Structures are given as C-alpha cells and as structure tokens.
C-alpha cells in the first residue's frame, strides 16, 4: 500500500539513488521525497521529433532510430571517441567527449539497433550528435520520444537520471485526502493537491493551467504560515510573566542627553513597549520602521526600563559591524548611568569570552550586545528580561521562537526591522507578534538626492567624489561583486579599488564579506574617525550602520538590486546634518521598466511606499532582498497574483480556531512545509 509517510522519506530509499546521487541531490537542497516533489521543472525538451537521417536539421533536438556500425576510438588525449551509425538513408557520427570506451561499448554494441536523442550539430560539413542525452533500446522508445521536463540540475546528475528518479516518485505518491472543507474548495475553485503536483511536473501542462495548480500550493503555503503564526501566538499568550516595575528614572536621564526631541511615533512606540514590559503578558513585538526612523533609541529606552526593574538585556544584530556600532552608541547613550555593557561576537577572544560568560551568569553585566553568538547554548543569564533582535529579516520565525524560549517566561522579546512587508502579508509573516510602527522620520532629516548616471561618465563621478572629500565628507562606493567574474558582467570591488587607487591613494579602503572580522572592524573604525574617506564595498554595509560624515553613496549596476535594497543602501548616507547624495550607475541604456523603477526611488523617500510600488512593477522576486538574506518567505506565493488568498486563509483559520481547532487534519500539510511544530502545540 502507498503510505502518506512515503513523501517524508529520505531520498535514499529510492531506486537508483545511491550514496553519490544522494550527495549531489543534497547540494540541490533535496533530502526527502517531499523536496523532490516541490521542485518543479522550469521547462521541457521536446523530443517528439522522430526522424530519419535524410531529414536532419542542424540545431534541432531529434530522436533517430539507428544501427551501430563501427567504433572510432583514437586513444589520443583530447580527441573524442566516435561511433558511426546509420539508417536506411545515411550515416551519422555519434561523438563522445570524456566518455570511457567501456561505457560506449556497453550502451552501443556493434550491430545493435537503438534510439538516440540529442541535438543535431554540424562539424566539417557533416551532421553529428555530441554526447547524446538519451540512448535507448528499441522497445523503450516511449521513454524518449516525448516531452521531457527540464529541472534545475546540479553537477553530477544528468537529466536522464533525475527524470528517472522523479518519475519513480510520481508513480508512487499516495493519494492524499483533501484537508480543506468542501465549501472552501469550491469557493476558491481549488484543485486537489495530488493533481496539482502531478500537473506541475507534467511537461504537457500549459502555462495558463499551471497558474491554477500553483494557486493551490500557494494557498497551502499561506494557510500553513498563518496556522503557525496563530499557534505561536496562542503559545505566547498563555505565558504569564513577572511584571517589570520601573519609573523611567534612567530613561529620562538618557533622553535629556540626546540633544533632540523624540518624534511622536517614537514616543508612541516607547509607550507601547512600556505597557508590554509592565504587563503580565510576555512581550512578542515587532518594531517596523524605515531606515533612519530612529528605532535604536526606542530599543535603548526599553533597555533602560528593563534594567531599572532589575533584569538583564540582550541586544543582537546580524553582523559584527552593526553589533559593534550598537555597542559604541550604547556606551555613549548610557555614559551617565551605571549600566554595565559588554560586547560578544564569534570573534571575541576565548579568554575574554570566558570572563563575559561568567559576568553574565553572575549578573555583573546589565546589557550584552553582540551577534547571534549571544544565543548559544552555553550562554547563561542571571536574569534576562528583554531580548532585542535588530534587522529581524536576517533571522527567521523559528529563531525568534527559540530565542523566546531560551529567554524563559520572564524575558520579553522585541524584534526590529526596516524591511517593508506589504500589509496583506504582514499576518503571514509576523502574525505571531504585535506590530509597532514608526512612520515619521526625525524632523532634521533632509531627503537624500538621488541621481542616475551612465557608467561611461565615470570621470564626472570621480570629480564629484573629489569635491565631496574636499568638503570634509565621506563616500561609499558599492559594487555588486567582490572579484571580477567571467560569468557576470558586473563591477567588482577589487577592480574598482584598483582603478581608483591611482587617484585616491590612501584615502580609500576596501570592504566585503570575505574580509576578516578584525580587519573589517579596523577599516570601519578608521572610516568613522575620518582617517579614510572612501569605502569601496559590497552590500555588507547595507544594514543599520550609522556614519554621520558619509554623505555620498555611489551604487554600481544599480538595476541589479531591488528597490527596497537600494533604498536601504542610500539610507546609509545623509544621516548627519548635511545633505545626502546617492548616485546610481548603470551599464547600458535602461529599459522602460528600469526607468520607471528609478523614478519611484527618486520621488519617494519612504521605504514602505517604495516597496509597494516596486511590488506592482516587478512582482515579488526581490522585494525584500531575499537574495542576501537567503530567507525566502514563500516558495509559491506571488503577492501580486495571490493577494486575495491571504484574507481567505485568515478567516478560514479563525473559523477553525473557533471550532476548537482540530489541527490534526492538517498534519500532512504542516509536515509538508516543515511546520510540524504546530502539532506539538500543547507541549
Ligand atoms: P534606524 O531606525 O534605521 O535603526 P537609527 O536608530 O540608527 O535608525 O537612527 C538613525 C539616526 O537618527 C541616529 O543617528 C539617531 O541618533 C538619530 N535620531 C534618532 N531619533 C531622532 C530624533 N527624534 N531626532 C533626531 N535624530 C534622531
Ligand atoms: Mg537600525
């Protein structure tokens, strides 16, 4: 009998998947049969062109019935092996590069009849087929002479092997019982799961029909996300914590030192958090605010309240650089208090780390700032009362739940993000949390002037840079790549540095993900101190870092970045009192679409607005800068197409919850999307 569990088995149980194949598949992030099933072909090869040798056309993928006549194995390095074949009309060479003789003798014995399928090419005026994809026996024509799906393959796996594995799996998937009720299915016109999967693997399914099948999976995905969110939320809501007691003594002190007034939105957010801290409910809150909206200060004030009530705080940032900056500004902010602050990252020396760990355990540290190193098992707090994660988009749902668990019941959680999420999706991504939002920017903030220029005008740009440096300003110069690449024609940090070095000499430094942490820190510190004027960098400077004298940012190959990301990058400049300038460089002439996108960027200064506009233009692809975070929220959902599904899924879940929530019905689905933890919801 076909069992449901088949889908969650490891691929090793499949026929034809040995150790090596399994390893290759793992490179493609395929470990279970489920992974195979949810990885759909992106196209197909038409091998239905069954013809004879008198009708060959160069460049066409053809399937031909042939008789093997003669081998020609030159046994000279770099010369290919050839097999001469014929049909009743003519002869053709089947050419093998990098194939062993033994293999060829086995698949193409002399005098045998076979079908060979491959792309017809010409060489010295003669037709030939190089490394044919398919060689099959006469009675197996039906395995070749058809539309064959094309999957994204990795090294080590041929299309033929992959397709054989996939067909095996498709033949064996059990029929899964529908998990939604009939009414929902008919309202949304949803296709059943088995059909959707089968049709999406079937090369004969046309594009238009595909949408319906994808929609089914998209709904599943939205639904499971919302279910997870709703279950997490219920989990959190059941926790009763000790109320935090404070009277703003410390926070008043630090606010006095700011030298500016908090915006109304900051005050509102600070208040929302205060209420959470002093309630019996555990805080699980996201603070959303565009770059430069002043989230950090809200965090610091919440930290001072927490410490005042006798607890410790942990403040985590996704990168060393950013964590270090928070550490520096925390030291400034809290200088007139006796709050003890420490820094911890993966690069902290073992002997220092030991001291810090000890101090944390004994409560000698009030506030620890660092990277995810803060939340390793070995790190124990005496009394952790508030955990804050900056730039949450770099972390996932599971991480915030784990963190909350680790902190214990009395530990409140605040995550912060400048990543705009369209309103419709908010619940599916942050539905387990309460949302605070800062819309208003500090009043003294000038809008950043944004220009676009052709890369050909690089000399003009260099003059602008020179001028800015003369004025005492600093410059970021962003390239998408670290090194030149023979595959992609994008600018690289190393090449640009090399070219500009002649002009700017020691005023320049280089920065990218490959640079050792200590060196990185040194470079950034020198930049902060004004010793260097220009940093040539990849997008590592993207998140949250504050450089008050950086007023010009140049971004090369700007059309390769998502608008939200460009907006975040330009938010790195103009943070002090001077005017910020952003210059977008482009390689070639721009498409209409690119021009529109740039206009959006020039005319808007609100990241959330920009994201919504970009979404309309480009779809979801790079809205959130998934590429860098490697954390894709959805596999099948396209908010442009599936906008309506969010609402439906949400009200459906409300209905389920209302009816007492029989989550067991969705066991298969939850497992399918790795959300099985919902099932152990009462633990
Ligand atoms: P983000 O929300 O992007 O994390 P930050 O918290 O880093 O923004 O704040 C950006 C800059 O704005 C900091 O230099 C901070 O000191 C300053 N700032 C924050 N709030 C205000 C305010 N109300 N008025 C003026 N400047 C502010
Ligand atoms: Mg920030």
């Amino acid at each position: 009998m076909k069992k449901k569990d088949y889908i969650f088995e490891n691929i090793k149980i499949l026929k034809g998947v040995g150790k090596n194949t399994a390893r290759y598949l793992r490179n493609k992030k395929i470990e279970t049969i489920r992974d195979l099933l949810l990885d759909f072909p992106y196209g197909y090869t038409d091998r239905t062109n069954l013809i004879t040798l008198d009708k060959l056309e160069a460049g066409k993928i053809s399937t031909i019935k042939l008789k093997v006549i003669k081998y020609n194995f030159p046994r000279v390095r770099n010369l290919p092996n050839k097999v001469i074949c014929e049909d009743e009309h003519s002869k053709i060479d089947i050419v093998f590069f990098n194939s062993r003789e033994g293999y060829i003798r086995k698949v193409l014995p002399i005098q045998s009849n076979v079908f060979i399928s491959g792309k017809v090419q010409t060489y010295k005026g003669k037709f030939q087929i190089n490394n044919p994809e398919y060689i099959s026996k006469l009675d197996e024509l039906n395995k070749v002479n058809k539309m064959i799906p094309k999957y994204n393959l990795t090294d080590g796996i041929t299309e033929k092997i992959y397709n054989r594995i996939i067909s095996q799996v498709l033949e064996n998937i059990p029929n899964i019982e529908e998990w939604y009720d009939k009414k929902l299915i008919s309202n949304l016109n949803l296709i059943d799961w088995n059909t959707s999967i089968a049709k999406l693997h079937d090369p004969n399914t046309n594009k238009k029909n595909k949408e319906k099948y994808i929609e089914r999976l998209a709904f599943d995905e939205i639904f499971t996300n919302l279910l997870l969110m709703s279950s997490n939320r219920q989990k959190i809501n059941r926790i009763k914590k000790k109320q935090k007691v404070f009277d703003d003594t410390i926070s008043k002190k630090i606010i006095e030192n700011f030298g500016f007034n908090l915006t109304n939105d900051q005050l509102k957010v600070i208040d929302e958090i205060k209420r959470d801290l002093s309630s019996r409910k555990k805080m699980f809150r996201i603070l959303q605010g565009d770059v430069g909206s002043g989230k950090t200060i809200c965090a610091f004030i919440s930290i001072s309240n927490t410490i005042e009530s006798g607890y410790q705080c942990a403040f985590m940032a996704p990168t060393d650089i950013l964590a270090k900056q928070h550490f520096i500004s925390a030291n400034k902010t809290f200088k007139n208090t006796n709050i003890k602050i420490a820094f911890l990252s993966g690069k902290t020396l073992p002997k220092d780390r030991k001291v810090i760990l000890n101090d944390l355990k004994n409560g000698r540290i009030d506030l620890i700032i660092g990277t995810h190193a803060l939340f390793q098992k070995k790190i124990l707090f005496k009394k952790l009362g508030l955990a804050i994660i900056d730039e949450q988009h770099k972390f996932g749902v599971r991480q915030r739940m784990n963190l909350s668990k680790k902190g214990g019941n009395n530990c409140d959680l605040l995550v912060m993000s400048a990543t705009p999420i369209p309103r419709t999706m908010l619940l599916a991504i942050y539905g387990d949390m309460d949302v605070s939002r800062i819309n208003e920017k500090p009043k003294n903030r000038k809008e950043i002037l944004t220009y676009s220029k052709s890369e050909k005008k690089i000399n003009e740009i260099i003059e602008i840079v020179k001028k800015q440096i003369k004025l005492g300003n600093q410059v970021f110069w962003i390239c998408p790549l670290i090194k030149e690449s023979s595959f992609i024609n994008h600018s690289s940090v190393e090449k640009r540095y090399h070219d500009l070095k002649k002009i700017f000499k020691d005023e320049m430094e280089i920065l990218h993900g490959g640079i050792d942490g200590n060196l990185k820190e040194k470079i950034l510190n020198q930049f902060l101190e004004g010793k260097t004027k220009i940093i040539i960098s990849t997008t590592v400077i993207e998140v949250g870092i504050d450089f008050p004298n950086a007023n010009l940012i140049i971004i090369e190959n700007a059309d390769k970045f998502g608008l939200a990301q460009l907006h975040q990058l330009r938010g790195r400049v103009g943070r002090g009192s001077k005017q910020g300038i952003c210059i977008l460089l482009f390689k070639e002439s721009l498409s209409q679409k690119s021009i529109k996108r740039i206009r959006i960027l020039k005319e808007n200064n609100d990241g959330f607005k920009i994201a919504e506009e970009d979404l309309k233009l480009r779809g979801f692809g790079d809205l959130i800068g998934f590429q860098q975070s490697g954390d894709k929220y959805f596999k099948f959902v396209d908010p442009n197409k599936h906008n309506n599904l969010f609402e439906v899924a949400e009200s459906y879940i409300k209905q389920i919850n209302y009816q007492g929530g029989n989550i067991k019905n969705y066991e298969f689905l939850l497992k399918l999307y790795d959300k099985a933890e919902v099932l152990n919801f009462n633990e």
Side-chain angles (χ1 to χ4, degrees), residues 296 390-391 544:
T296 318
D390 196 16
E391 307 297 344

Side-chain angles (χ1 to χ4, degrees), residues 452-467 475-479 491-492 495-504 508 536 552 554-557 583-587:
S452 45
K453 283 217 179 284
S454 157
E455 207 186 273
K456 291 197 192 95
K457 302 204 169 147
I458 190 94
N459 288 332
E460 271 177 45
I461 309 286
I462 290 170
E463 287 311 309
I464 296 173
V465 172
K466 280 184 185 161
K467 207 171 123 198
V475 181
F476 284 119
W477 192 308
I478 310 294
C479 304
S491 305
S492 76
K495 173 97 184 350
R496 187 55 74 205
Y497 179 80
H498 180 261
D499 292 350
L500 293 177
K501 188 82 186 161
K502 295 167 208 139
I503 305 165
F504 295 106
M508 257 187 347
I536 315 271
L552 172 62
I554 294 154
I555 306 172
E556 296 206 43
N557 302 116
I583 302 177
L584 307 170
L585 288 188
F586 296 92
K587 269 229 148 60

Side-chain angles (χ1 to χ4, degrees), residues 289-296 315 322 326 390-391 416 418 543-545 572 575:
D290 197 5
V291 279
S293 61
K295 297 185 289 294
T296 318
F315 191 164
L322 186 55
H326 284 326
D390 196 16
E391 307 297 344
M416 306 198 288
V543 279
I545 306 174
R572 300 301 113 219
R575 286 193 154 217

Side-chain angles (χ1 to χ4, degrees), residues 341-356:
I341 311 172
F343 179 81
L344 184 73
S345 80
K347 304 202 173 76
T348 306
L349 295 175
K351 66 172 177 19
D352 298 337
R353 186 184 143 93
K354 214 169 145 196
V355 176
I356 292 171

Side-chain angles (χ1 to χ4, degrees), residues 359-412:
D359 286 353
L360 275 176
K361 212 161 69 189
N362 297 324
R364 279 194 291 267
I365 292 170
D366 300 308
L367 168 59
I368 181 110
I369 297 178
T371 57
H372 49 266
L374 288 188
F375 294 100
Q376 286 157 354
K377 274 213 184 79
K378 283 201 181 136
I379 295 179
L380 302 171
F381 292 84
K382 183 171 184 214
K383 212 179 164 193
L384 185 62
L386 174 63
I388 299 179
I389 314 178
D390 196 16
E391 307 297 344
Q392 151 72 30
H393 67 288
K394 301 270 169 180
F395 307 97
V397 186
R398 198 152 289 141
Q399 272 160 310
R400 66 184 180 242
M401 276 312 270
N402 286 343
L403 201 59
S404 164
K405 244 193 211 156
K406 178 168 168 82
N409 284 356
N410 288 324
C411 178
D412 289 304

